[in-house]
Amino acid sequence: MSDVVELAQELIRRRSVTPDDAGCQALLAARLARAGFRCTALPFGEVENLWATHGGDGPVLVFLGHTDVVPSGPESAWASPPFQPGVRDGKLYGRGAADMKGSVAAMCVALEDFIRRHPDHAGSVALLLTSDEEGIAEHGVRRVAQHFRESGQRIDWCVVGEPSSRERLGDLIRIGRRGSLTGMLRVRGVQGHVAYPEKARNPIHQAAPALAELAAMRWDAGNVAFPPTTFQISNLNAGTGADNVIPGTLQAVFNFRFGTASTPQELRARLESVLRRHGLDYQIDWRQSGAPFLTQDGPLRRAVCAVLQQQLGIKPELSTGGGTSDGRFIAPLGAEVVELGPRNASIHKVDEHIALDELERLPGLFSAIAERLLVAP
């Protein structure tokens, strides 16, 4: 069994459900230290972060990943235990196999190989890992980026190992991500008896037309870089538990995924104007977890596309779709950010897996990207 498959299995065996790293980063730091990397632990709160670097002055290339995983759900639903890696039918199974312990293992093996072949490379190459990507992402890369900003740590290029591919490895790479804006809405009514609605004010009846209008709205048309803004209600609740009581409040949670065609301020203003027009007595708590970013054509995009063409014979689709990733915290540092990883069909699902042939190819892709950026032709 190859080194990258063995390492991926070792990582999967560690039950690192957010924010518990479960020893993954210590395992990787020990390997990279033996390869000559300077490894620094950056713990914030209960979150473990690892910063491993090799090289000196010049441009900085960072490989970014996370060691935490989402819960497995009922283990009885899995064909094999989620934290006991299993190999069958050309796939490696286990929680985190695709998202993203396979990529993390590949990055580590790629960096070891790159340093072995190019010990005197230009600039610096680094690995940044967190155990807070699948959770609230407060003390992970967000906090590390703040630390880098304060300490003056530069990052020129960043490759994120998120599972980006669709049908085959490398057929799609992310060159940006949409922003995420969440609203927690509370509509106030007047509680009362369902038989006497004239003595109450039902917040469900009041809010329903406004929510229906919001769900049907076209927020923008998007642009050449980003798809149109989407609005989704993800939670809605009211009631006291009794079927003869008109509730006094309704609570709703909704989310915007937006590009650069609309600003968060514009989205908030348009939404609240609808609520006011419907005469709602409301309160909203807003939370923006990320701003949109886009990596223009530059050295990193060209390097990634050239490597995929050379090694896989594929011209990747350049996408800004999907959810969010920790790349949203690195881009504001001035870095070019590209996401490249295995197929994402099984992530967060029962029987999550990664194809062995994809896992075997990833180290070579990551190492070749580093060569194009940090080794003179």
Side-chain angles (χ1 to χ4, degrees):
M1 191 170 295
S2 70
D3 192 16
V4 68
V5 175
E6 288 187 357
L7 180 54
Q9 289 181 320
E10 282 298 310
L11 294 174
I12 291 170
R13 289 189 183 99
R14 288 160 168 78
R15 192 181 291 262
S16 56
V17 177
T18 309
D20 186 7
D21 171 68
C24 292
Q25 292 177 27
L27 169 68
L28 296 162
R31 287 186 58 138
L32 292 172
R34 290 194 296 271
F37 280 74
R38 300 179 298 277
C39 297
T40 304
L42 297 172
F44 295 107
E46 59 182 349
V47 174
E48 298 294 330
N49 303 292
L50 175 65
W51 175 240
T53 65
H54 187 283
D57 295 337
V60 179
L61 167 63
V62 174
F63 289 90
L64 173 62
H66 62 89
T67 53
D68 59 318
V69 299
V70 297
S72 65
E75 296 195 10
S76 60
W78 288 64
S80 56
F83 296 101
Q84 293 181 22
V87 175
R88 57 185 184 274
D89 303 322
K91 302 179 181 69
L92 171 61
Y93 286 83
R95 175 55 85 221
D99 188 15
M100 58 174 293
K101 289 182 174 180
S103 288
V104 169
M107 288 174 171
C108 181
V109 171
L111 290 172
E112 291 170 330
D113 175 67
F114 175 72
I115 297 306
R116 184 167 51 250
R117 292 185 295 108
H118 305 287
D120 299 317
H121 61 85
S124 293
V125 64
L127 178 65
L128 175 59
L129 298 175
T130 184
S131 66
D132 187 31
E133 196 274 346
E134 299 288 7
I136 60 175
E138 285 293 332
H139 298 295
V141 178
R142 180 196 299 269
R143 184 64 183 83
V144 173
Q146 179 183 337
H147 169 71
F148 284 171
R149 195 174 289 110
E150 294 167 351
S151 64
Q153 173 64 57
R154 81 185 262 191
I155 298 179
D156 296 274
W157 307 302
C158 179
V159 177
V160 188
E162 289 290 346
S164 63
S165 303
R166 285 180 176 165
E167 302 300 327
R168 54 176 291 201
L169 178 63
D171 63 359
L172 184 147
I173 61 175
R174 306 267 182 216
I175 59 169
R177 290 282 192 165
R178 296 175 294 174
S180 177
L181 177 66
T182 296
M184 287 149 281
L185 170 67
R186 179 184 175 92
V187 178
R188 292 178 287 264
V190 175
Q191 184 174 312
H193 196 294
V194 295
Y196 304 95
E198 71 278 4
K199 297 181 180 181
R201 191 171 74 249
N202 192 323
I204 301 175
H205 291 195
Q206 288 195 307
L211 295 177
E213 180 177 338
L214 292 170
M217 283 182 68
R218 178 179 170 89
W219 298 91
D220 58 47
N223 52 35
V224 66
F226 291 95
T229 291
T230 62
F231 170 87
Q232 286 292 306
I233 299 170
S234 58
N235 202 320
L236 187 66
N237 66 81
T240 64
D243 60 8
N244 61 350
V245 177
I246 294 172
T249 60
L250 172 143
Q251 295 179 329
V253 180
F254 53 84
N255 178 266
F256 287 104
R257 292 300 167 101
F258 62 97
T260 52
S262 296
T263 68
Q265 295 77 16
E266 291 169 340
L267 296 173
R268 289 172 57 167
R270 289 182 63 190
L271 182 139
E272 294 200 39
S273 70
V274 172
L275 301 182
R276 288 193 298 270
R277 180 158 43 78
H278 283 269
L280 300 187
D281 179 8
Y282 71 91
Q283 174 186 339
I284 299 183
D285 293 322
W286 293 97
R287 178 173 59 86
Q288 183 176 333
S289 60
F293 70 89
L294 177 68
T295 295
Q296 303 287 351
D297 184 31
L300 179 60
R301 266 177 55 174
R302 290 195 290 270
V304 172
C305 290
V307 166
L308 293 176
Q309 180 66 52
Q310 180 184 54
Q311 295 202 13
L312 303 180
I314 193 168
K315 182 179 180 180
E317 176 186 347
L318 307 180
S319 172
T320 58
T324 61
S325 78
D326 278 343
R328 69 190 188 273
F329 304 126
I330 300 299
L333 298 177
E336 298 177 21
V337 178
V338 169
E339 299 179 25
L340 167 63
R343 284 177 287 175
N344 64 7
S346 69
I347 63 173
H348 292 207
K349 294 183 178 181
V350 168
D351 291 335
E352 179 181 352
H353 59 270
I354 183 172
L356 289 176
D357 62 340
E358 293 185 8
L359 182 55
E360 298 277 9
R361 281 185 171 274
L362 276 172
L365 298 180
F366 292 146
S367 182
I369 291 168
E371 286 183 341
R372 283 185 173 268
L373 293 170
L374 298 178
V375 179

